[in-house]
Amino acid sequence: MNLHAVLTEVIPTLASLIEGIGVLIILYGCIKSLYLFFKDKLNLSNNQPKLELAKALAFSLEFKLAAEILKTVIIQTIDEFIVLSAIVILRVVLTVVIHWEIKSTNSEVGE
């Protein structure tokens, strides 16, 4: 059995596990943000719940992106490459936007 065959068997499971970690991080971030939001008596002007959720989303996107990078090893057709490239580009754009949101929220809190 050659290396490519082994990777073809292992990577989908490994990528799914890494993506699952990303989902758990999102779930944790949502629960923590909701807790902070309710703890502050539904105060929409408090940026802390928003900031916590944005941090969790950014962190989870890093895991999702790692899983997509692993999947590049087993690409066999140009169609798979195009779809994977689009997913990676979207996730990178989302990560940049979320990091920008975190930075702007942090500067508002600092003022």
Side-chain angles (χ1 to χ4, degrees):
M1 196 173 210
N2 64 13
L3 180 60
H4 185 63
V6 171
L7 291 175
T8 303
E9 293 295 321
V10 172
I11 286 180
T13 304
L14 189 58
S16 295
L17 179 66
I18 292 171
E19 285 181 334
I21 292 169
V23 170
L24 290 175
I25 292 169
I26 291 171
L27 181 63
Y28 171 77
C30 288
I31 291 169
K32 185 174 181 181
S33 294
L34 278 174
Y35 169 75
L36 292 172
F37 184 58
F38 287 122
K39 182 180 173 187
D40 200 31
K41 298 178 179 76
L42 308 176
N43 181 7
L44 292 174
S45 63
N46 184 4
N47 285 329
Q48 193 59 34
K50 176 182 170 183
L51 192 58
E52 290 298 325
L53 183 58
K55 286 179 182 178
L57 290 174
F59 189 47
S60 70
L61 274 170
E62 299 295 334
F63 279 91
K64 303 291 236 169
L65 193 56
E68 297 302 329
I69 291 170
L70 277 177
K71 290 178 187 177
T72 62
V73 174
I74 58 173
I75 290 176
Q76 295 180 358
T77 66
I78 192 69
D79 291 336
E80 290 176 349
F81 175 75
I82 291 169
V83 169
L84 196 58
S85 298
I87 291 170
V88 167
I89 289 168
L90 286 172
R91 289 190 175 164
V92 167
V93 168
L94 284 172
T95 301
V96 168
V97 169
I98 290 171
H99 281 290
W100 174 79
E101 182 70 27
I102 290 169
K103 189 176 180 179
S104 66
T105 302
N106 276 337
S107 66
E108 286 175 14
V109 170
E111 292 176 351

